[in-house]
């Protein structure tokens, strides 16, 4: 009974990690999509691209915090390493893309 309970807890923690990981993936995609809008979009909407990139990055980082909390309790080292690597890769890429998008927005707005 104790073993079954421990396995159920681990399964729940893994599930609770997969959800914010999907959120990180979706938010990273939103940041990516903001870039062409910042570069080529209507100047009247370019600020929206910058705001969208910033908000998506903030949501991404929020989800990453949840992943980090859960990883501390996961005993499956392979799953934890894969999830951490995916999260860290996406956070780094989104952060870089967001910074570029904000720079483009500032330049297009004359700031």
């Amino acid at each position: 009974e104790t073993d079954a309970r421990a396995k159920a807890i681990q399964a729940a923690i893994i599930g609770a990690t997969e959800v914010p990981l999907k959120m990180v993936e979706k938010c990273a995609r939103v940041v990516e999509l903001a870039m062409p809008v910042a570069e080529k979009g209507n100047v009247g909407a370019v600020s929206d691209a910058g705001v969208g990139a910033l908000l998506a990055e903030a949501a991404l980082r929020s989800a990453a915090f949840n992943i980090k909390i859960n990883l501390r309790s996961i005993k499956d080292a392979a799953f934890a390493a894969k999830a951490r690597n995916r999260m860290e890769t996406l956070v780094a890429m989104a952060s870089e893309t967001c910074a570029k998008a904000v720079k483009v927005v500032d330049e297009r707005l004359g700031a």
Side-chain angles (χ1 to χ4, degrees), residues 26-80:
K26 300 295 184 191
C27 290
R29 181 68 179 133
V30 171
V31 173
E32 284 179 32
L33 291 171
M35 191 63 188
V37 177
E39 293 174 324
K40 300 173 187 161
N42 181 303
V43 74
V46 74
S47 63
D48 295 335
V51 171
L54 289 167
L55 290 174
E57 184 190 20
L60 178 145
R61 289 181 176 274
S62 174
F65 285 151
N66 287 319
I67 294 167
K68 289 177 183 180
I69 288 168
N70 292 334
L71 288 177
R72 297 170 57 195
S73 301
I74 293 175
K75 294 184 183 353
D76 181 342
F79 173 85

Side-chain angles (χ1 to χ4, degrees), residues 1 20 39 41 43 62 78 84 94 97 100-101 107:
E1 194 172 305
E39 293 174 324
V43 74
S62 174
R84 180 178 304 281
T97 303
K100 288 178 183 176
E107 289 169 356

